[in-house]
Amino acid sequence: MNQAASPVDLTNCDREPIHQLGSVQPFGFLLAVSADWIVTRASANLSQFLGIAHAEAVGRPVSSILVPDALHSLRNKLATLRGPDVVERIFGIALTSGHQRFDVAIHVSHGQIIIEGEPCDEGKEAPSLSMRSMMARLDHTETLEAFFREGARQARALTGFDRVMVYRFDDSGSGEVVAEAARPGIGSFLGLHYPASDIPVQARALYLRNLFRIIADIHAVPVPILPERDEHGRPLDLSMSVLRSVSPIHIEYLKNMGVGASLSISIVVDGRLWGLFACHHYSARLPSAESRSTAELFGQMFASRLESRERRLALDYETKARRIADRLLTSVADNASLLDDPTWLIDALADAIPADGIGVWINGRLAIAGLGPDEKGFAALVRHLNRNAAGRVYAVDRLGETYPDIETDGTVAGMLAIPISRSPRDYVVLFRQEIVRTVRWAGDPHKPVEYGPNGPRLTPRKSFEAWSELVRGRSLPFTEAERRVAETIRVTLIEVVLRLTDEASMARQLANERQELLIAELNHRVRNILGLIGGLIRQSQSTSASLPDYVRQLEGRVQSLSRAHDQITRDHWAPASLRQLLLAEAAAYLGKNAQRIRMTGDDVLLEPQAFSTTALVFHELVTNSAKYGSLSGSGLVELGWERDEDGTLHIRWREKDGPPVTQPKRQGFGSTIIRRSIPYDLGGKAEVRYVRQGLEADFSIPARYVNTVGATGELPAPAPVEAAARPAAARNDEPLAGLNVLLVENNLIIAMDGEDILRRLGAEVATAPSVADAMAFLSGQSFDLALLDVNLGDETSFAIADRLAANNVPFVFATGYGEGIAQAHSHSDAPVLQKPYTIEGVTDILARLAVPQKP
């Protein structure tokens, strides 16, 4: 092949395996050791340092090469390693019986223990610098530029290199020298830019893992590691190696710069490679291992301080922007027509996000102020934006390159689009002008690539004279902080954009929405009550010995719910008194003997959801005690409650002086309500103990359901409305036979009723009361169908629907609010089952749903 005819693109460097070069720098030695401490590889210069040939060392136990004290220290240090990218060091350790001491680095690479050593130069003293005072000097700098300059100066004092640069990467991988400390007479690289190809992708990835890199002498001959490959044909991974040799391409690059030695310290900010301390020396230089460790620590502390500064600046900026957004909201609240005035908008937003023009697109109407495309171009831009994901801020700094069909006469190059509605798509778009700037590149970034001494790979540029490039078609990029501010503005504008519509139409719409919400709320509550009664009917039947018992149990439970409902609706669905609830239950079953339940505790108010659940629990306790416990004879019940410091309500039930109590052999429906209702419906706790002297029960109701007397507000009572009856549908006996069904329902009794119906239809059922529990089920097993209650108390099941849709699992929404509530979500095509659950309703919905059949 004719090499001259085959251009080499700049990604050749990106593909070079710089972590598998198979050799080390000659200022130290390397041993690769197996997990059982047998030498598997060694550098060819081993005899120079340890007095044993590498061929003789391979295959031998490390204990036959190193003295016991050294081996003990290495084992101890190995035990402190945490994670794959950690290197531990030991300074001034004797490895053999001779007088020579070594500085040793140890790490693990793909199961191999890598031991690297270099002679300890005991006569070479580390710079006597206080890390605390160094950080104090950094902290006292007022600007980022001064911070960078001080960092470069201190890094040079630590390392002694001729030139130390603070080198910052941009989003494209190109770099700029933003600070420099150098000895006099060697020129300056400050302000120079370097293309991304100068530090290839895999080199930047390695800098993120291994924070320190020393090249002691670019003229040194690399020492091979032997054998070169293991039994699987793999070279040794030297990613974390201290001695790792240098790519021939990089050596040639440094020679072209006249550099004799280099040192790099990674600056990692918020988990990303922000930049480097790039140190150059114009002759060979090897600081001691201890000095290098100090410099590495300095780099990490510098990065930490830089991260704090950047976050503080971003926080200050975002706080200021939030104040601007608040002012924006307040202004529009007083005068909604301001949003029709783009000039006012650009003035209002200028301090939040600097821009040179603004465009507004609302309901097909547009307005532009300042720099921006013409109306035709802006309309075309909106069509492009409509293809993006809804509700996301979007920014570009090369508008012409991203959308070549948008005509901007070359003056506009940057755009930040802020969507302010979902349907129809409306936008506020900020524009930035093209910035014509001169960039001083260290060499021509576009210089043709030729084949050089390293074969068909990129030859580094041989010219390092400053080269100017006119950068066209780009704007100042929108920063991450500015995008977060745009998100704040997006939320603010969404809140006020409805004010652009006609006020009379808005008033009618709001009135209709309120009426529909009231109707839906009443419908939901009525259907939930119907579902609850239906569940009580079925569940009571399974535990009744005879029809009269069944009727009495059912009547008692329904009356208990009725009493609870009367109490919470008496004050417009407001929280109601726990003491009144308990007195009502006691009076209903004991009459004049209600005083046999002795109550202690300051009265508290229970939220409606907790009130109904608690009423049913204590109804079962009173009736069970009247039948079998202390209230069946001459005994009594001590009933007390108090709130702890977190506001949780603890209730104690203690039966005294009744007949002996034994653990029942079978748990009936009433016992299930006592044990499971409060944990299931309210997320609280319930514990029942069958003590011989009398039944004991303890309950905990979370603080969010409990109020002190006098601390509640009033809610308006919804107007009554009749629920429409649905016709029964024909059904098969077991249409769900062999299928796994997920039922999500936050009410225990309704859930039990739903379980029974689904099982009668042949399904295997898993029931979850909350989004978190449902997600846990979905992570652990697969389902063929899901039945989702839309309203789960403080949350909805829409997130579960998203997960099911992503996994192609069919699902049905169940709700008492009506179909509009469920279909307002993105899954508008999902079938909706009206509560209460009935076997006819479930069968009917299944007939309209494509449910997979099991063989």
Side-chain angles (χ1 to χ4, degrees):
M1 179 184 293
N2 183 0
Q3 289 183 339
S6 303
V8 179
D9 77 38
L10 296 175
T11 64
N12 285 74
C13 282
D14 289 339
R15 296 192 293 270
E16 188 178 22
I18 59 175
H19 62 301
Q20 295 179 343
L21 296 176
S23 58
V24 294
Q25 298 178 63
F27 65 83
F29 68 88
L30 180 144
L31 289 173
V33 180
S34 64
D36 56 353
W37 292 85
I38 303 295
V39 177
T40 59
R41 303 185 196 188
S43 58
N45 62 350
L46 190 64
S47 60
Q48 175 184 341
F49 297 97
L50 299 185
I52 180 172
H54 70 277
E56 186 178 348
V58 173
R60 294 179 59 174
V62 180
S63 59
S64 66
I65 300 173
L66 305 182
V67 296
D69 286 348
L71 186 58
H72 177 73
S73 297
L74 290 172
R75 288 179 183 272
N76 285 344
K77 190 61 70 171
L78 183 66
T80 66
L81 290 177
R82 294 293 182 270
D85 294 344
V86 178
V87 179
E88 288 289 350
R89 295 174 176 84
I90 307 174
F91 301 111
I93 183 175
L95 297 179
T96 63
S97 56
H99 297 293
Q100 178 67 59
R101 291 186 173 272
F102 294 87
D103 295 325
V104 175
I106 184 169
H107 71 278
V108 176
S109 174
H110 297 286
Q112 295 274 298
I113 302 166
I114 309 301
I115 302 170
E116 299 175 275
E118 58 184 279
C120 174
D121 190 348
E122 300 181 54
K124 184 186 293 184
E125 295 184 1
S128 57
L129 299 172
S130 165
M131 192 64 66
R132 178 176 297 178
S133 63
M134 294 171 72
M135 291 301 106
R137 286 193 291 272
L138 282 174
D139 292 339
H140 286 149
T141 56
E142 295 183 357
T143 65
L144 273 179
E145 291 75 13
F147 179 81
F148 297 150
R149 285 197 302 272
E150 183 63 24
R153 190 181 69 81
Q154 294 190 30
R156 182 165 183 255
L158 276 173
T159 62
F161 273 65
D162 289 335
R163 184 193 308 276
V164 173
M165 298 166 283
V166 177
Y167 184 85
R168 178 173 59 193
F169 293 110
D170 64 18
D171 291 339
S172 70
S174 298
E176 178 187 3
V177 179
V178 296
E180 179 184 58
R183 68 175 172 82
I186 62 173
S188 174
F189 288 173
L190 182 63
L192 289 183
H193 288 69
Y194 291 80
S197 56
D198 276 22
I199 301 180
V201 172
Q202 89 280 23
R204 293 196 294 273
L206 203 51
Y207 278 127
L208 191 56
R209 295 179 58 197
N210 194 342
L211 304 182
F212 194 91
R213 173 67 163 146
I214 180 70
I215 302 173
D217 184 355
I218 68 167
H219 299 289
V221 178
V223 177
I225 299 171
L226 302 171
E228 181 180 349
R229 297 181 179 273
D230 63 12
E231 67 275 15
H232 302 292
R234 296 173 302 197
L236 188 61
D237 187 335
L238 297 174
S239 296
M240 303 304 297
S241 170
V242 173
L243 300 173
R244 173 165 49 91
S245 62
V246 191
S247 156
I249 293 180
H250 190 53
I251 288 292
E252 187 176 350
Y253 183 96
L254 293 174
K255 286 180 178 178
N256 291 338
M257 296 182 74
V259 173
S262 78
L263 182 151
S264 302
I265 307 170
S266 302
I267 303 173
V268 178
V269 174
D270 203 18
R272 63 183 176 85
L273 185 63
W274 181 94
L276 302 168
F277 283 105
C279 310
H280 289 169
H281 206 70
Y282 292 93
S283 60
R285 178 167 179 77
L286 178 63
S288 70
E290 192 170 354
S291 295
R292 302 198 309 263
S293 293
T294 303
E296 181 179 359
L297 175 61
F298 170 76
Q300 291 174 294
M301 296 186 71
F302 177 90
S304 176
R305 291 298 204 278
L306 175 58
E307 181 173 336
S308 296
R309 280 182 176 244
E310 289 193 337
R311 287 186 176 179
R312 187 167 61 249
L313 289 172
L315 179 61
D316 292 343
Y317 177 69
E318 291 177 34
T319 300
K320 174 186 174 184
R322 278 195 294 272
R323 287 197 297 268
I324 293 171
D326 290 341
R327 287 204 308 270
L328 181 71
L329 179 60
T330 302
S331 299
V332 176
D334 295 335
N335 183 4
S337 64
L338 286 174
L339 279 181
D340 284 324
D341 183 359
T343 303
W344 175 83
L345 266 176
I346 194 170
D347 291 340
L349 299 178
D351 289 339
I353 304 176
D356 302 300
I358 189 169
V360 179
W361 178 278
I362 296 178
N363 291 326
R365 295 179 290 113
L366 64 88
I368 303 172
L371 292 179
D374 58 20
E375 292 188 1
K376 180 181 177 182
F378 191 72
L381 178 61
V382 168
R383 289 194 296 273
H384 283 295
L385 294 175
N386 285 341
R387 297 201 294 262
N388 296 339
R392 292 187 179 178
V393 171
Y394 178 66
V396 296
D397 61 359
R398 300 185 185 189
L399 186 62
E401 187 176 309
T402 307
Y403 301 122
D405 58 322
I406 305 298
E407 296 183 5
T408 63
D409 70 18
T411 59
V412 176
M415 172 202 73
L416 177 66
I418 307 173
I420 57 175
S421 66
R422 182 182 294 271
S423 180
R425 297 283 187 90
D426 298 323
Y427 299 93
V428 170
V429 184
L430 304 179
F431 296 104
R432 283 183 178 172
Q433 65 180 345
E434 176 190 49
I435 295 182
V436 180
R437 56 181 176 170
T438 298
V439 176
R440 297 174 59 231
W441 291 102
D444 184 350
H446 306 305
K447 182 176 180 179
V449 177
E450 302 173 355
Y451 282 80
N454 295 305
R457 295 182 292 185
L458 176 67
T459 300
R461 300 185 306 278
K462 296 183 181 296
S463 171
F464 282 88
E465 298 175 357
W467 187 86
S468 294
E469 176 186 17
L470 200 63
V471 180
R472 302 301 304 262
R474 294 186 63 176
S475 74
L476 187 69
F478 290 93
T479 66
E480 185 63 31
E482 288 171 337
R483 297 184 193 198
R484 288 195 294 270
V485 169
E487 177 61 24
T488 301
I489 292 171
R490 183 186 74 83
V491 173
T492 302
L493 291 179
I494 284 176
E495 187 174 346
V496 301
V497 74
L498 292 177
R499 298 179 184 275
L500 290 173
T501 60
D502 181 74
E503 289 190 3
S505 173
M506 177 63 72
R508 287 193 300 272
Q509 179 182 349
L510 291 175
N512 290 336
E513 287 177 354
R514 290 192 191 100
Q515 184 178 11
E516 290 173 2
L517 184 61
L518 289 174
I519 293 172
E521 176 67 22
L522 179 62
N523 194 23
H524 168 74
R525 291 179 180 175
V526 169
R527 289 181 180 274
N528 258 355
I529 290 172
L530 292 175
L532 189 61
I533 298 300
L536 285 175
I537 292 171
R538 274 180 283 273
Q539 298 301 323
S540 297
Q541 181 181 11
S542 65
T543 59
S544 299
S546 64
L547 181 59
D549 287 340
Y550 166 65
V551 172
R552 279 193 298 272
Q553 287 181 357
L554 179 59
E555 184 178 23
R557 288 164 179 159
V558 171
Q559 287 177 349
S560 175
L561 288 174
S562 176
R563 287 191 296 272
H565 190 268
D566 286 344
Q567 286 183 258
I568 58 180
T569 55
R570 188 177 299 126
D571 292 320
H572 307 292
W573 205 256
S577 162
L578 172 65
R579 181 179 292 277
Q580 292 302 319
L581 180 155
L582 298 173
L583 288 173
E585 288 298 329
Y589 291 93
L590 300 178
K592 296 179 180 180
N593 295 321
Q595 69 275 8
R596 290 172 60 192
I597 300 180
R598 298 178 180 175
M599 302 181 193
T600 57
D602 295 332
D603 198 10
V604 295
L605 303 179
L606 297 182
E607 293 291 335
Q609 179 182 353
F611 196 87
S612 298
T613 299
T614 307
L616 204 53
V617 169
F618 281 93
H619 165 78
E620 296 299 330
L621 283 169
V622 172
T623 55
N624 284 350
S625 183
K627 283 183 179 181
Y628 314 111
S630 61
L631 299 179
S632 65
S634 58
L636 55 87
V637 173
E638 293 180 354
L639 180 55
W641 61 88
E642 69 275 332
R643 299 182 74 181
D644 64 18
E645 58 184 14
D646 295 326
T648 301
L649 179 65
H650 300 280
I651 307 176
R652 302 179 306 280
W653 173 279
R654 301 289 187 269
E655 298 189 20
K656 306 284 187 179
D657 303 327
V661 174
T662 59
Q663 175 84 27
K665 296 180 179 179
R666 183 174 66 87
Q667 293 291 330
F669 179 54
S671 298
T672 301
I673 288 178
I674 295 170
R675 287 180 175 276
R676 293 184 61 188
S677 287
I678 289 177
Y680 192 99
D681 291 344
L682 309 180
K685 296 179 181 179
E687 181 181 357
V688 179
R689 298 179 295 278
Y690 294 91
V691 180
R692 184 172 179 81
Q693 293 78 7
L695 181 73
E696 295 182 355
D698 292 288
F699 306 95
S700 297
I701 298 177
R704 62 181 178 275
Y705 298 111
V706 185
N707 290 311
T708 56
V709 175
T712 62
E714 294 187 354
L715 298 174
V721 91
E722 284 192 23
R726 296 188 58 203
R731 58 185 176 87
N732 297 324
D733 287 340
E734 290 189 346
L736 298 178
L739 299 184
N740 291 326
V741 178
L742 173 63
L743 173 64
V744 181
E745 170 59 64
N746 69 318
N747 183 283
L748 173 62
I749 295 175
I750 298 177
M752 294 170 66
D753 198 30
E755 289 173 357
D756 286 351
I757 291 174
L758 292 170
R759 289 190 178 110
R760 288 170 61 189
L761 296 175
E764 293 290 333
V765 185
T767 305
S770 65
V771 173
D773 292 333
M775 291 301 190
F777 273 129
L778 291 173
S779 298
Q781 63 187 102
S782 60
F783 292 91
D784 305 296
L785 175 67
L787 184 58
L788 311 177
D789 183 15
V790 173
N791 193 321
L792 301 174
D794 295 333
E795 55 187 355
T796 68
S797 60
F798 293 140
I800 308 171
D802 294 340
R803 175 82 169 267
L804 292 166
N807 295 335
N808 296 318
V809 177
F811 58 89
V812 175
F813 284 124
T815 180
Y817 278 99
E819 293 193 3
I821 297 297
Q823 294 184 345
H825 191 59
S826 58
H827 301 289
S828 58
D829 55 346
V832 177
L833 175 64
Q834 293 292 334
K835 284 186 173 181
Y837 299 126
T838 64
I839 194 165
E840 291 81 7
V842 174
T843 305
D844 177 60
I845 206 77
L846 291 176
R848 296 187 281 118
L849 185 68
V851 180
Q853 299 295 315
K854 288 292 179 70

